[in-house]
Amino acid sequence: MHQLTIAEIIRGLRDRQFSSVEITSHLLERIQQLDGHYNSFITVTGEQALEQAAAADARLAEGNAPALCGVPIAHKDIFCTHGVRTSCGSKMLDNFVPPYDATVVDNFLQAGAVSLGKTNMDEFAMGSSNESSFYGAVKNPWDIERIPGGSSGGSAAAVAAQLVPGTTATDTGGSIRQPAAMTGTTGLKPTYGRVSRWGMIAFASSLDQGGPITRTAEDAALMLSVMASPDNKDSTCLDRPSQDYTANLNDSIQGLKIGVPSEYLGEGLDTQVRERVQEALKEYEKLGAELVEINLPHSKLAVPSYYVIAPAEASANLSRFDGVRYGYRCENPADLRDLYMRSRGEGFGEEVKRRILVGSYALSAGYYDAYYNKAQQVRRLIKQDFVDAFDKVDVIMGPTAPNPAFKLGEKNADPVAMYLEDIYTIATNLAGLPGMSIPCGFARGMPVGLQIIGNYLDEARMLNVAHQFQQATDWHQQTAPAAE
């Protein structure tokens, strides 16, 4: 049963081929047996999951259950869950048990989905390799000596290892798409504001966005249909009604105009990754799409501007963790200053401290205009590049990441090299656009992701384009060796 997609589980539950309790029990056993290899979960909520599954079976028996009723999922440990530890991968929140559910979590509860637990992640979502977690690095199911990508590496690894058919995740600079690419899964970052951030622990508030990681575009559409909803508790959440993102999956893409940025296929891209992306683009031509070369002239400035804006927002957001109200508190503080300094010094990891320092510096008097303000001006230029491109094309495609998954520890001593793993994904966040990654082959024995970027609020077309590729190819059906 662990090989089933979300769509297949929905059909199986409706046809009474198995119950929610049965598939939930099977996946919980699989997590217990196999996750010691991957470390993809921080918390497994077995007892609660079985209670939810039993309740889902009762709803299914009544015949009026929502689409995802009884379907097992897992949540990235950045989404607050009532009564269940929400750590954000940090020692700072190791003892934090929220008194409420995030809107995304509540949406799935209302839909009858079954939560198996909370997945591992880079601390406070800061990282590209899932090595900065307080709970240890996550391993890639395709090769447990390699990284799964980050920061949603636990979510991606759990899906790739067939421990769960779908997970929630978040994307601030590529943290859904990049791990999806490196684990051979399908990951979708919606338009900024499409999914509520209420109850999603903040990293960079103008960039963070929740989305799903699944095996197929169809499953991503099913999950997004539940995740995306208006929310008056989040002022940045768009007032757009929920919709069925599966409705247009089977539409023809004949005549679709695909923009291919020359900047995304040049220097710095692994040769085998380039070949796989070009092969995928040829497949789209066979499906009736037209390739159009475009330019995104300011894309080279995406990484430097992001690494001013994101740390600046992080330094403000993380100031709330002071050892006073909740979270980690140092032992026997001498005074208030000592409480602040030791609680934060002992509670945060190295990458989080690095970004707080960079962000605080960029916001400091005398440097605000030179760094933060200038980065925001560059951000507007990057957005305009995309606006101009979408006057000519329907979607934009290129590689998700410049390299396949690298070895654990390989880039820990070089933060800049690590940051460059997000070079093709960051601009989408700065512009607030939707983007997704789908499997398109292998490079050096590891999965490669094709990135699809859509216009604002055009997730339905993006999912249609991804689904049509997956109908014509079987890269998304390839199974990680350790998961067989």
Side-chain angles (χ1 to χ4, degrees):
M1 285 191 285
H2 56 271
Q3 297 169 330
L4 298 174
T5 64
I6 289 174
E8 290 167 342
I9 291 170
I10 289 171
R11 288 192 287 271
L13 290 169
R14 293 295 188 279
D15 295 342
R16 304 287 195 273
Q17 295 174 16
F18 47 81
S19 68
S20 180
V21 168
E22 287 172 331
I23 191 166
T24 298
S25 298
H26 174 75
L27 292 174
L28 287 171
E29 288 173 15
R30 190 168 168 80
I31 292 168
Q32 185 176 13
Q33 291 169 2
L34 297 177
D35 198 45
H37 299 297
Y38 314 125
N39 195 32
S40 66
F41 278 83
I42 290 175
T43 302
V44 178
T45 53
E47 188 175 327
Q48 183 187 83
L50 290 170
E51 289 173 2
Q52 291 175 350
D57 283 332
R59 289 178 76 178
L60 287 161
E62 292 171 2
N64 59 352
L68 257 63
C69 189
V71 175
I73 63 164
H75 292 293
K76 182 177 180 179
D77 204 24
I78 198 168
F79 291 100
C80 287
T81 42
H82 181 237
V84 177
R85 176 179 59 173
T86 300
S87 72
C88 222
S90 179
K91 180 180 180 180
M92 181 62 78
L93 289 177
D94 182 51
N95 63 357
F96 176 57
V97 179
Y100 64 96
D101 285 315
T103 296
V104 163
V105 172
D106 188 57
N107 285 356
F108 280 105
L109 285 172
Q110 298 303 319
V114 176
S115 175
L116 303 183
K118 311 294 291 292
T119 56
N120 205 343
M121 56 180 285
D122 277 305
E123 185 180 11
F124 283 100
M126 299 180 192
S128 304
S129 64
N130 219 138
E131 294 175 284
S132 71
S133 172
F134 174 62
Y135 304 94
V138 177
K139 316 316 189 349
N140 193 320
W142 288 91
D143 179 350
I144 59 173
E145 293 184 356
R146 294 182 182 271
I147 60 106
S151 66
S152 307
S155 292
V159 173
Q162 298 185 339
L163 304 181
V164 65
T167 58
T168 61
T170 61
D171 192 309
T172 305
S175 290
I176 288 175
R177 292 160 289 154
Q178 188 248 29
M182 292 187 171
T183 57
T185 53
T186 297
L188 186 151
K189 181 205 92 71
T191 302
Y192 179 78
R194 177 71 93 175
V195 173
S196 171
R197 293 187 300 110
W198 195 79
M200 189 178 95
I201 296 170
F203 162 15
S205 301
S206 74
L207 300 163
D208 298 342
Q209 187 57 198
I213 295 179
T214 57
R215 288 185 210 132
T216 68
E218 181 182 19
D219 285 0
L222 287 163
M223 285 192 70
L224 186 62
S225 297
V226 173
M227 290 184 81
S229 67
D231 183 11
N232 58 18
K233 297 189 293 293
D234 175 7
S235 63
T236 63
C237 190
L238 300 172
D239 188 16
R240 298 287 179 126
S242 301
Q243 67 183 84
D244 179 6
Y245 290 96
T246 66
N248 303 107
L249 289 178
N250 294 313
D251 289 359
S252 169
I253 59 170
Q254 187 74 33
L256 181 84
K257 290 187 176 181
I258 299 174
V260 183
S262 56
E263 294 85 356
Y264 284 16
L265 294 173
E267 186 181 351
L269 179 63
D270 180 274
T271 54
Q272 290 188 22
V273 172
R274 183 184 294 112
E275 289 167 6
R276 299 296 86 77
V277 169
Q278 290 171 334
E279 289 162 6
L281 292 171
K282 286 177 184 172
E283 187 65 43
Y284 272 108
E285 286 187 300
K286 291 181 193 172
L287 293 171
E290 175 190 348
L291 302 185
V292 180
E293 185 171 332
I294 61 169
N295 293 108
L296 299 172
H298 296 98
S299 61
K300 64 181 181 295
L301 301 174
V303 171
S305 59
Y306 174 89
Y307 279 102
V308 171
I309 294 168
E313 294 185 12
S315 71
N317 279 326
L318 271 61
S319 64
R320 71 194 65 174
F321 304 112
D322 54 12
V324 176
R325 287 157 289 194
Y326 54 84
Y328 178 79
R329 184 185 181 109
C330 69
E331 296 272 336
N332 303 316
D335 51 31
L336 189 61
R337 180 182 175 83
D338 187 48
L339 170 67
Y340 289 159
M341 292 183 66
R342 285 205 290 124
S343 293
R344 290 168 66 80
E346 295 167 14
F348 290 137
E350 291 304 310
E351 182 61 28
V352 173
K353 291 176 185 174
R354 181 181 295 118
R355 298 200 193 193
I356 289 173
L357 287 169
V358 169
S360 298
Y361 181 81
L363 292 176
S364 60
Y367 295 100
Y368 180 93
D369 286 337
Y371 293 105
Y372 184 75
N373 199 36
K374 184 62 68 177
Q376 291 287 18
Q377 291 171 342
V378 171
R379 180 182 192 172
R380 187 63 186 84
L381 295 174
I382 290 168
K383 177 180 178 178
Q384 191 60 46
D385 287 348
F386 282 110
V387 170
D388 294 342
F390 280 116
D391 283 340
K392 305 169 194 166
V393 300
D394 300 309
V395 295
I396 295 170
M397 291 189 190
T400 306
N403 302 294
F406 49 87
K407 294 268 189 175
L408 288 159
E410 184 178 318
K411 299 191 178 184
N412 285 352
D414 188 351
V416 174
M418 187 80 81
Y419 297 164
L420 289 172
E421 288 302 311
D422 293 331
I423 193 167
Y424 302 126
T425 55
I426 278 173
T428 311
N429 296 82
L430 290 170
L433 289 163
M436 66 185 296
S437 180
I438 57 174
C440 69
F442 293 84
R444 308 182 202 289
M446 298 300 290
V448 173
L450 174 72
Q451 182 174 205
I452 306 170
I453 302 170
N455 207 344
Y456 294 103
L457 301 171
D458 209 7
E459 288 86 356
R461 189 206 295 263
M462 198 170 64
L463 284 159
N464 162 232
V465 170
H467 181 68
Q468 290 304 304
F469 181 81
Q470 293 184 342
Q471 294 298 101
T473 64
D474 66 353
W475 297 119
H476 63 290
Q477 296 174 341
Q478 304 303 306
T479 306
E484 291 176 351

